[in-house]
Amino acid sequence: QVQLVESGGGLVQPGGSLRLSCAVSGRSVSTLTMAWFRQAPGKEREYVAAIRRGSSATYATDSTKGRFTVSRDNGKNMAYLQMNYVQPEDTAVYYCAAASGNPISGVFGRASTYDYWGQGTQVTCST
């Protein structure tokens, strides 16, 4: 059974940086397509970024492209979300997700694509 545990959330000032981590157990992260979603209060869960399994190809939404970068470390069995130039509108609970198949990039943004989810970590951007 795959388990995902996020960490690294917290309070960040506008324009600051934060790195979220996702510890993967039960399967090698290299065999999973990993993604990050977020959910702000009163809003639906929103796709942030993904990295295809067995590849360094990454994908992101227009709102985070150029600011947020997803990566993984196969040796540590971890996935990461590097968040730069964080803005107040980025405030949300961030979730790590994993897909055991090999979905096409066109469905990376669908929550139903992913088989496993972490419990979430809170990111708050404020002065």
Side-chain angles (χ1 to χ4, degrees):
Q1 180 72 4
V2 174
Q3 291 188 322
L4 309 176
V5 179
E6 302 96 333
S7 62
L11 179 64
V12 59
Q13 292 189 340
S17 297
L18 207 60
R19 189 177 79 157
L20 305 184
S21 300
C22 177
V24 181
S25 60
R27 185 163 166 172
S28 172
V29 70
S30 64
T31 68
L32 297 164
T33 289
M34 302 297 298
W36 290 89
F37 285 73
R38 66 186 181 185
Q39 188 167 19
K43 295 188 177 181
E44 294 186 352
R45 192 166 295 192
E46 175 190 25
Y47 166 67
V48 175
I51 182 167
R52 181 183 294 284
R53 77 174 194 184
S55 169
S56 59
T58 61
Y59 306 84
T61 63
D62 289 341
S63 64
T64 59
K65 196 174 297 182
R67 298 191 300 125
F68 293 4
T69 304
V70 59
S71 63
R72 64 165 173 263
D73 186 326
N74 293 340
K76 295 182 178 179
N77 222 37
M78 299 281 291
Y80 303 98
L81 182 68
Q82 178 66 43
M83 305 169 62
N84 298 327
Y85 305 106
V86 180
Q87 299 301 310
E89 53 266 32
D90 296 318
T91 295
V93 177
Y94 283 72
Y95 296 91
C96 176
S100 56
N102 192 20
I104 60 174
S105 59
V107 299
F108 280 178
R110 299 179 187 175
S112 59
T113 295
Y114 301 92
D115 306 294
Y116 308 101
W117 292 83
Q119 83 290 348
T121 186
Q122 176 71 46
V123 172
T124 302
C125 181
S126 174
T127 56

